[in-house]
Amino acid sequence: MIKELFQRYPHNPIISINDIPYMANSVFNAGAIKLDNKIFLLMRVEDRRGISHLTLARSKDGINDWQIDNQPTLTPNPDKYPEEIWGIEDPRVVFLEEKRIMAITYTAYSKDGPLISLITTTDFQNFIRYGPVMPPENKDAALFPIRFNGRWSMIHRPVSYMLTEKANIWISFSPDLKHWGDHQVLISARKGSWWDAKKIGLSPPPLRTDEGWLILYHGVKTTVSGVIYRLGLALLDLKDPRNLIARSDEWVFSPKESYETYGDVDKIVFPCGWIQKNDDILLYYGCADSCIALATASISELLEWLKKHNSLSGGKQCT
Ligand code: BMA
C-alpha cells in the first residue's frame, strides 16, 4: 500500500464529547500551542443551544492524559462584544515572538455573519480582547509569529457573494494588530470539479520551515450528497509571505475513517492547530464537527512532496 503523508493516530479520536466534564453537544476544531513543556488545545465546544465557546485541554505528550478544564475557558461576551452573540469558534493560537504573548484569532458569530476577532494572553487566564479585526463575512484567520518590514501579517478568508461564487484566502498587514490594511488575495479557490473549488481557508497557522512558510489549507467541494472538507499544501516566501511559491495540485488528507465521515456535519476534517517536534508535526483536527483527532507527518516529506505536486510550476497551473 502507498504510504500516506499524514498518519492517523491509531486510537483516534483523542478527545470526544464524553471527555468534557460538563454537559455540551460537541467538541471539535481546536487551536494548539506548546507552553511550559505541555501541549495546550483551545477547543471549540458547542453547547446544547448551538452556541460555541472555547475550553482548554492540556497534555504532556500531546497524545494521552488530557486534562480538560471543568468550565469554559473563554465564553462569548455579547454584553460588551455584541458580535459574539451566536458564539466564538475555531481559534488559531500563535506565539508572537517579539511580544512574548499568544495571539488567538477566532470566529465571532455576529448577527451580520461570522467575523474575525483577536484576543491576546500570556497564560490562558488573563485575556486582552481586541474585538473585531475583520468585518463579516470572514473566517479562518491566523497571524504570523513575526513582523515583516515592521508590520504584523494575518491570513484570513473573506466571502463576497456579489461577483464570485468562490471564497479565497487573503493576506493583510497591520502596524499594531488592531488596524489592518494592504489586503490582497493570496490563494484562490479553484473551479469546476477540483477538490478545492468553491471555498478554501487557512487551517492551522503558517509554519516556518527553511524553504518557506508551510501552509495547510482546507478546500471545500460541493457534491450532490453535501460538502467534503479536505486539506492541501502551499508554501509562501519566508521574507515576503505575499509571494506564493508552491501550491499542491492534489489534496493530502481527506475524511475516510468513520469518526471523520459521520457526525453533526459529515465528511469534515478541520485542523486549527499543529505542533512541531523536530521534523515531525502533530496535527490536531476537528472531525465531522463532533470530536478531535490527531495525525502526524514529516515536514521534510511534506516539502518534498509539495515540490513534485506544485501546480504553479511547469505550466501545470489548472483552475
Ligand atoms: C466551516 C467552519 C467550521 C466547520 C466547517 C464544517 O465553515 O464553520 O467550524 O467545522 O464549516 O461545518
Side-chain angles (χ1 to χ4, degrees), residues 28-29 44 89-90 107 139-140 157 199 218 227 229 265 268 270 286 288-289:
F28 49 117
N29 310 348
R44 171 176 173 188
E89 308 175 350
D90 302 352
T107 305
K139 286 185 175 189
D140 305 322
R157 204 283 309 279
K199 281 203 284 190
H218 57 265
V227 290
Y229 275 66
V265 187
I268 311 284
F270 201 94
D289 285 9

Side-chain angles (χ1 to χ4, degrees), residues 10-286:
H11 304 296
N12 273 343
I14 55 165
I15 298 175
S16 43
I17 193 61
N18 295 336
D19 300 311
I20 303 300
Y22 53 88
M23 203 68 98
N25 173 67
S26 49
V27 54
F28 49 117
N29 310 348
I33 195 151
K34 194 168 181 194
L35 202 65
D36 303 331
N37 277 323
K38 280 191 185 150
I39 292 178
F40 286 79
L41 295 184
L42 190 60
M43 311 178 294
R44 171 176 173 188
V45 177
E46 191 182 292
D47 67 22
R48 291 190 170 192
R49 298 172 302 166
I51 310 285
S52 292
H53 58 265
L54 309 179
T55 294
L56 210 56
R58 52 185 81 59
S59 150
K60 275 203 177 122
D61 64 3
I63 303 171
N64 298 298
D65 301 324
W66 291 96
Q67 283 177 288
I68 299 176
D69 280 0
N70 285 327
Q71 53 191 32
T73 309
L74 259 174
T75 48
N77 184 358
D79 291 343
K80 270 179 109 176
Y81 297 90
E83 68 282 355
E84 297 184 355
I85 181 97
W86 289 330
I88 56 176
E89 308 175 350
D90 302 352
R92 274 78 167 184
V93 188
V94 171
F95 187 71
L96 303 183
E97 292 169 12
E98 154 199 330
K99 285 179 168 280
R100 304 203 61 75
I101 54 170
M102 292 178 279
I104 307 167
T105 40
Y106 60 97
T107 305
Y109 199 164
S110 83
K111 284 188 175 167
D112 292 299
L115 55 80
I116 307 297
S117 284
L118 171 69
I119 281 182
T120 60
T121 184
T122 52
D123 53 9
F124 285 123
Q125 282 168 26
N126 302 293
F127 298 98
I128 299 173
R129 282 184 193 254
Y130 281 66
V133 286
M134 289 287 167
E137 182 176 334
N138 207 319
K139 286 185 175 189
D140 305 322
L143 295 178
F144 287 79
I146 56 167
R147 298 186 197 230
F148 300 92
N149 286 327
R151 297 189 303 172
W152 300 103
S153 181
M154 176 164 60
I155 294 180
H156 57 106
R157 204 283 309 279
V159 178
S160 156
Y161 294 103
M162 269 295 278
L163 298 174
T164 165
E165 296 275 288
K166 307 189 302 173
N168 304 323
I169 295 176
W170 287 60
I171 189 166
S172 303
F173 294 87
S174 169
D176 57 5
L177 297 174
K178 179 82 183 155
H179 304 94
W180 293 87
D182 275 354
H183 314 289
Q184 67 178 70
V185 174
L186 184 64
I187 311 174
S188 294
R190 283 183 267 226
K191 293 180 187 155
S193 62
W194 276 84
W195 67 272
D196 56 355
K198 189 78 184 159
K199 281 203 284 190
I200 57 172
L202 181 73
S203 283
L207 184 86
R208 189 171 19 198
T209 74
D210 291 343
E211 302 192 26
W213 295 96
L214 184 61
I215 300 295
L216 183 67
Y217 72 94
H218 57 265
V220 184
K221 176 167 173 148
T222 313
T223 76
V224 282
S225 60
V227 290
I228 312 176
Y229 275 66
R230 300 188 177 108
L231 307 176
L233 295 173
L235 195 67
L236 310 177
D237 187 88
L238 267 186
K239 292 218 171 86
D240 185 352
R242 291 170 299 187
N243 293 338
L244 180 64
I245 303 170
R247 177 185 185 177
S248 68
D249 48 9
E250 300 177 0
W251 53 259
V252 291
F253 198 71
S254 175
K256 187 178 86 176
E257 301 296 335
S258 57
Y259 53 87
E260 298 159 351
T261 43
Y262 302 107
D264 275 7
V265 187
D266 296 346
K267 295 188 201 140
I268 311 284
V269 287
F270 201 94
C272 293
W274 52 7
I275 302 287
Q276 181 175 0
K277 264 190 176 177
N278 305 317
D279 185 51
D280 292 327
I281 46 164
L282 302 174
L283 178 72
Y284 297 95
Y285 62 102

